[in-house]
Amino acid sequence: MLTHTLPMLLQVADPQLPPTTGVFVIFSIIKMLVIFGLVMVTVAYTTFAERRIAAWIQDRHGPNRVGPWGLFQVLADGVKNFMKEETYPADANKILFVMAPALAFVPAMLTWSVIPFASPLPTPWGRIDMVVADLPIGFLFTLAISSLGVYGLTLAGWSSNNKYALLGGLRASAQMVSYEIAMGMSTVCVLLLAGNVHLTEIIGQQVAMGWNVLLLSVAFFLFLIAAFAETNRVPFDLPESESELVAGYHTEYSAMKYSMFPIAEYANMITAGAMMSTLFLGGWDIPFTTWDNVPPFTVLKTLVTFGFFVAKTLFWVFFFIWIRWTLPRFRYDQLMSLGWKFMLPVALAYVAIIAAAVVALDRAGFTRGHKFGAVLFGLNLVLVVVLFFILDRGRVVSPAYSRLDRAAVDKLRAVAPSRATLRGPGA
Amino acid sequence: MGNEFLPLFYTFNFYLFGLVALACALMFVTRKSPVAAAMWLVGAMFSLAALYVMLDAQFVGAMQVLVYTGAIMVVFLFVVMLLNLGNPGELSDIRGKWGRLVAGFVGLALVAELMALAKSPLDLRLVVPAVTAPPQTGGVIAPIAGPLFKEYLLAFELTSILLLVAIMGAVVLAKKKDAR
């Protein structure tokens, strides 16, 4: 009945509307609700997964008391967060203090509106694309929106009126702006291959040529690092860094307002995982078969491709958690030099190489298909060997060994005696 | 695409985002706290991005958010916080009575000029080229990239050199301070 009433209402509001608008509006609302609900449930269970996986990695039990295998721990945590007392620090900027958690969370959810999550669904009212808003600027939209996430962290740090929180907020803004550039540059290669920023077409390109993770491994590696930095996960959790800044930008937050920051972090992780799957792992594409890419589209195809998309995304979520309990945190100067002195130049050089390769292959008469992909794969193998085994020599792969140059070491040595005298004669 | 078959929707959104942009801009120039002013400016830029999208310039809209809101304003905020200019009592850019009066007159003059231009009998419409179907390959970026890298390549390269010079200037200034 709704399919008839709503178009009529819309027609009354605006008589010039095309008659298909009703179907579009209804399915958009359904897709929004489904995506929002699924992401929120996944966020809740990612917090649980993080604790269980951490426990598994550290050889202990983790939360296993509430419900079977501790599955209801999530509900208990939710209730706890709602019941706790909300505190406001003295002289905090109330408006920004309350607004900051929402500002951190909203961009993570907004990005989901352009990610295609399954093959098109056939309905009696026509084929429905399984993406909430199929924007022509698709990928640029995700970049633009994810660049807004930093406001939540920065404003939380500033409005708390606390020096540790302020330091965390400052670190967040510097770090996220730096790595956004590397992230944007690393994806230029993907856009070069697809010839478009439309996410559906980027998936189509990967179906035709092979997944970008094989064709553009260096770009994928850079995007992966930048995604860790953008989501503020270990080894890039300097805005939070509990061993130096108490809890960084959210030191002064309590109860549900505090809880919004971890929720935003996990939502960002899932979004980053979905973006990596879409840009580099073929999105909802099933490898080694064209069954999922050709009509007739069926409900079964939609469900199976959706399953593949979820599996890919969850793999990245697991990867984020795995890294967190494996690697130590970067030092701040290492973070900045990695972003500006390693990732940006490598990304720029890589764009130049890939652009030249694409032009050369086009001139040589290759059509954009599997052969094109095979040649790029060969080039990519050479580049990976050159970058990681000849140029890098273990500096990025094991950053703890990153060397300071001679002048910086001398500077640090000069600082040390003066600090010793600060402690006074008793020390 | 909006104004062809969704006139009501289009008009409503045009006035909505136009008013939001104006309100944000007003708040931006009247706030004393630099952080609050910066946040209002972010709001104004966002509404401008929405207006660009309504003009079918999605690319410009996305770039507006990505470059201005996502990068430049974040760096602004960073500097404001680093220098701890957050306290309105310490520092304000709002000058005394005369400054405000002069600003008001200049603003009124600008409004008058706009009104006069809108009412003028001259044909001031932009030269709109014959509408062609958007090319299927390249999507929304090709119409911008084409002219930029073909007809206006020299201007584009000169602009990039200008930016390069500015970056080098910034590096030189930063280095100078460091050597002290």
Side-chain angles (χ1 to χ4, degrees):
Chain A
M1 192 201 69
L2 196 64
T3 47
H4 296 289
T5 337
L6 196 75
M8 272 165 59
L9 280 175
L10 285 167
Q11 293 284 333
V12 171
D14 199 344
Q16 277 151 301
L17 278 179
T20 50
T21 312
V23 177
F24 171 75
V25 168
I26 289 166
F27 273 98
S28 293
I29 291 172
I30 293 174
K31 282 186 280 189
M32 271 186 250
L33 292 176
V34 167
I35 282 292
F36 183 77
L38 278 180
V39 173
M40 285 315 287
V41 170
T42 317
V43 164
Y45 275 94
T46 310
T47 61
F48 177 69
E50 169 120 82
R51 296 168 69 185
R52 287 305 292 258
I53 292 172
W56 174 54
I57 289 176
Q58 297 173 342
D59 199 15
R60 52 189 176 84
H61 288 296
N64 61 357
R65 284 289 173 268
V66 193
W69 307 290
L71 275 175
F72 296 151
Q73 182 69 39
V74 173
L75 300 177
D77 284 347
V79 171
K80 181 187 77 176
N81 275 323
F82 275 112
M83 302 309 245
K84 276 189 169 179
E85 183 189 356
E86 303 252 356
T87 54
Y88 292 90
D91 290 330
N93 186 323
K94 275 269 171 58
I95 301 170
L96 289 180
F97 188 76
V98 174
M99 225 167 76
L103 280 180
F105 170 66
V106 168
M109 291 303 300
L110 266 184
T111 311
W112 274 94
S113 56
V114 292
I115 298 177
F117 49 86
S119 62
L121 177 76
T123 63
W125 306 281
R127 193 189 289 173
I128 305 290
D129 283 329
M130 283 294 110
V131 44
V132 175
D134 205 9
L135 296 184
I137 48 166
F139 178 65
L140 289 176
F141 178 82
T142 65
L143 268 190
I145 292 301
S146 65
S147 72
L148 300 176
V150 61
Y151 279 105
L153 278 56
T154 313
L155 289 175
W158 180 78
S159 64
S160 299
N161 192 30
N162 174 312
K163 59 186 168 191
Y164 299 116
L166 180 65
L167 279 172
L170 287 175
R171 282 180 176 190
S173 58
Q175 170 182 330
M176 286 170 85
V177 168
S178 304
Y179 278 81
E180 225 162 67
I181 295 167
M183 183 182 244
M185 292 308 299
S186 69
T187 48
V188 168
C189 305
V190 177
L191 306 184
L192 276 177
L193 277 194
N196 208 324
V197 289
H198 200 176
L199 286 173
T200 312
E201 289 192 28
I202 291 176
I203 292 175
Q205 168 253 323
Q206 298 183 67
V207 170
M209 283 192 219
W211 290 0
N212 282 336
V213 67
L214 296 176
L215 310 182
L216 304 168
S217 305
V218 176
F220 170 70
F221 184 72
L222 295 175
F223 190 89
L224 185 66
I225 299 175
F228 272 93
E230 290 285 305
T231 48
N232 296 308
R233 293 283 298 182
V234 177
F236 298 98
D237 69 335
L238 286 119
E240 201 178 319
S241 66
E242 68 279 355
S243 54
E244 306 160 28
L245 299 179
V246 188
Y249 60 92
H250 57 59
T251 301
E252 293 285 0
Y253 280 86
S254 65
M256 203 56 207
K257 283 207 297 298
Y258 158 75
S259 187
M260 288 296 278
F261 286 113
I263 290 176
E265 183 184 319
Y266 287 106
N268 267 320
M269 264 164 68
I270 297 167
T271 311
M275 281 314 295
M276 279 191 274
S277 310
T278 307
L279 291 176
F280 294 98
L281 291 179
W284 46 262
D285 179 43
I286 303 172
F288 309 120
T289 170
T290 51
W291 172 78
D292 54 318
N293 306 114
V294 287
F297 292 107
T298 57
V299 178
L300 176 71
K301 272 186 192 179
T302 302
L303 289 176
V304 173
T305 49
F306 182 64
F308 265 77
F309 177 72
V310 170
K312 288 174 192 176
T313 305
L314 289 185
F315 168 74
W316 289 116
V317 172
F318 170 73
F319 190 78
F320 271 101
I321 296 171
W322 182 14
I323 291 288
R324 173 168 178 183
W325 303 102
T326 307
L327 290 183
R329 188 180 299 132
F330 277 93
R331 223 170 43 220
Y332 203 73
D333 62 316
Q334 288 174 329
L335 169 95
M336 281 297 155
S337 69
L338 176 68
W340 289 102
K341 292 185 188 162
F342 173 79
M343 286 174 62
L344 186 58
V346 167
L348 281 172
Y350 198 62
V351 168
I353 293 171
I354 293 296
V358 168
V359 170
L361 284 173
D362 276 346
R363 285 283 162 83
F366 283 95
T367 48
R368 302 275 173 115
H370 280 300
K371 239 183 223 166
F372 196 101
V375 176
L376 272 180
F377 178 63
L379 173 71
N380 181 50
L381 274 185
V382 175
L383 289 177
V384 166
V385 170
V386 167
L387 180 66
F388 292 114
F389 297 99
I390 299 174
L391 288 180
D392 177 55
R393 286 171 304 183
R395 255 175 288 175
V396 171
V397 181
S398 49
Y401 300 117
S402 156
R403 291 173 213 98
L404 287 168
D405 59 350
R406 196 67 222 170
V409 173
D410 288 342
K411 215 170 162 186
L412 283 175
R413 282 192 181 139
V415 167
S418 64
R419 289 180 88 181
T421 54
L422 269 182
R423 259 183 250 151
Chain B
M1 116 183 150
N3 48 356
E4 284 138 35
F5 56 93
L6 295 173
L8 192 74
F9 184 73
Y10 185 84
T11 318
F12 174 76
N13 279 312
F14 173 75
Y15 282 107
L16 177 71
F17 288 115
L19 282 176
V20 171
L22 280 180
C24 286
L26 259 180
M27 294 298 277
F28 159 60
V29 291
T30 51
R31 291 307 90 186
K32 281 186 179 162
S33 154
V35 172
M39 288 317 289
W40 284 111
L41 187 56
V42 168
M45 284 171 170
F46 232 101
S47 339
L48 285 186
L51 289 176
Y52 288 139
V53 171
M54 286 171 62
L55 288 171
D56 251 1
Q58 286 103 335
F59 181 70
V60 182
M63 282 300 132
Q64 169 90 7
V65 175
L66 184 60
V67 174
Y68 285 96
T69 346
I72 293 181
M73 287 316 293
V74 175
V75 177
F76 263 48
L77 265 184
F78 178 79
V79 172
V80 167
M81 289 176 185
L82 196 67
L83 303 179
N84 206 6
L85 303 177
N87 199 343
E90 289 168 8
L91 179 122
S92 167
D93 260 358
I94 299 176
R95 305 274 176 255
K97 193 167 46 170
W98 286 106
R100 287 185 208 191
L101 268 178
V102 170
F105 276 121
V106 173
L108 276 180
L110 277 174
V111 171
E113 194 179 356
L114 273 179
M115 299 284 266
L117 277 175
K119 291 251 159 70
S120 85
L122 293 171
D123 191 11
L124 292 170
R125 276 173 300 173
L126 290 170
V127 183
V128 180
V131 176
T132 50
Q136 281 305 302
T137 54
V140 287
I141 297 178
I144 292 178
L148 207 56
F149 287 98
K150 283 177 192 150
E151 284 97 328
Y152 306 109
L153 183 62
L154 183 67
F156 179 76
E157 292 297 337
L158 285 179
T159 316
S160 61
I161 288 173
L162 182 70
L163 287 174
L164 189 66
V165 169
I167 293 171
M168 283 160 68
V171 170
V172 167
L173 285 178
K175 284 273 173 198
K176 216 183 208 169
K177 238 181 183 173
D178 197 45
R180 178 170 48 93

